[in-house]
Amino acid sequence: MSREQTPAERIRCSTVTTFRKKLWRPFIHAIKTYHLIQPGDRIAVCISGGKDSMLMAVLFKELQPHSEIPFEVVNLCMDPGYAQQNRAAIVSNAELLDLPLTFYENRIFDVTATTPKNPCYLCARMRRGSLYEHAQKLGCNKIALGHHFNDVTETIMMSMFYAGQIQSMPPRLDSKNFPGMQLIRPLYEIHEEDIIEWQQTHGLRFLQCACRLTEAAAVQGNEHVSKRKEIKTLLHALELQNPDVQKNIFNSLHNLDLDTMVGWRSANETHTFLERFNTEVND
């Protein structure tokens, strides 16, 4: 007589059955395509309490015992100053999903809540630096963030519209400030709508952005509209005319034609298309 599955087992099992095509396959494909995991890795799976990071932890938990590559996982959760009910929600969801958490506190919200310019950008930078530092102390050589396909396409558009540059969100990169540490993005090819479907199918309730700016706006009956949300709205509108808009943006990352670029940066060096002409003259 077979044992009845626990809620955590049912939810985890669904990622390789019901959601195999939408979640499991793109997760595994990204890991293999971008070489995100190497033997002996100790990965800090960074939990924010949102749907993306929670799904990522569930996928890693399903992968680890079946992986041909031996690696370790630490589910690392930083409390940047959450309201008590938000921290309680993270703990409750982690218990439901059978995800052991390593918690630590860093009062980042105390800083970002009083920053008038680009508080979201500052918050993201401070949180990432803190996660690198704490993960390294725990003996990890990588941190895994829950950025998904839509985050990638939105970031490209944001960099063009608001920063005057073409900058993407790579699936893997070395840390500049923490030697020996890498950042990986295992949800790189997973679409946000599929994560939402998985969440709703199981009746899960995760945190949205739980920063003080968002909470203050909610109290006032307003919505804190970030630049990312503006871009998300724009892309949804464009998809009404062309459903492949985001797919084409994503694919463009893998098909960059440098011969048509006027200027670019690489390894902290600035280059210009004129270098080609100078070379021709000198030759």
Side-chain angles (χ1 to χ4, degrees), residues 30 34 147-149 152 169-171 185-190 250 253:
Y34 306 118
H147 296 128
H148 48 64
F149 172 94
V152 177
M169 186 180 274
R185 295 183 168 102
L187 305 190
Y188 203 74
E189 298 182 357
I190 295 179
F250 183 86
L253 288 180

Side-chain angles (χ1 to χ4, degrees), residues 16-172:
V16 296
T17 55
T18 307
F19 292 94
R20 187 176 189 85
K21 182 177 179 180
K22 294 179 178 180
L23 300 180
W24 184 253
R25 285 181 182 170
F27 171 68
I28 296 300
H29 187 266
I31 287 175
K32 291 182 176 180
T33 300
Y34 306 118
H35 300 179
L36 301 186
I37 300 177
Q38 281 76 42
D41 278 347
R42 183 171 168 85
I43 303 170
V45 177
C46 299
I47 307 292
S48 67
K51 66 185 188 313
D52 310 324
S53 61
M54 284 294 194
L55 169 64
M56 178 172 63
V58 168
L59 290 169
F60 266 116
K61 189 175 181 70
E62 180 65 25
L63 171 65
Q64 195 174 15
H66 307 294
S67 175
E68 297 176 354
I69 301 175
F71 68 96
E72 297 179 57
V73 162
V74 177
N75 293 320
L76 184 59
C77 186
M78 175 183 62
D79 183 344
Y82 289 131
Q84 184 176 358
Q85 66 270 21
N86 289 332
R87 175 158 174 161
I90 296 175
V91 172
S92 176
N93 280 323
E95 290 174 350
L96 172 65
L97 298 171
D98 191 23
L99 299 172
L101 294 184
T102 298
F103 253 109
Y104 77 99
E105 295 187 3
N106 188 330
R107 308 291 295 184
I108 287 175
F109 287 169
D110 290 346
V111 177
T112 58
T114 58
T115 302
K117 188 175 181 180
N118 297 328
C120 297
Y121 174 78
L122 177 63
C123 183
R125 289 294 299 270
M126 291 181 69
R127 290 171 77 147
R128 184 177 302 181
S130 177
L131 288 167
Y132 268 129
E133 181 178 17
H134 206 83
Q136 196 170 52
K137 289 179 181 177
L138 293 173
C140 298
N141 65 312
K142 289 179 180 176
I143 65 171
L145 301 185
H147 296 128
H148 48 64
F149 172 94
N150 302 76
D151 288 324
V152 177
T153 60
E154 291 160 12
T155 296
I156 299 171
M157 301 296 288
M158 287 173 63
S159 71
M160 293 174 65
F161 285 18
Y162 301 116
Q165 61 181 347
I166 299 176
Q167 187 175 47
S168 78
M169 186 180 274
R172 170 184 168 189

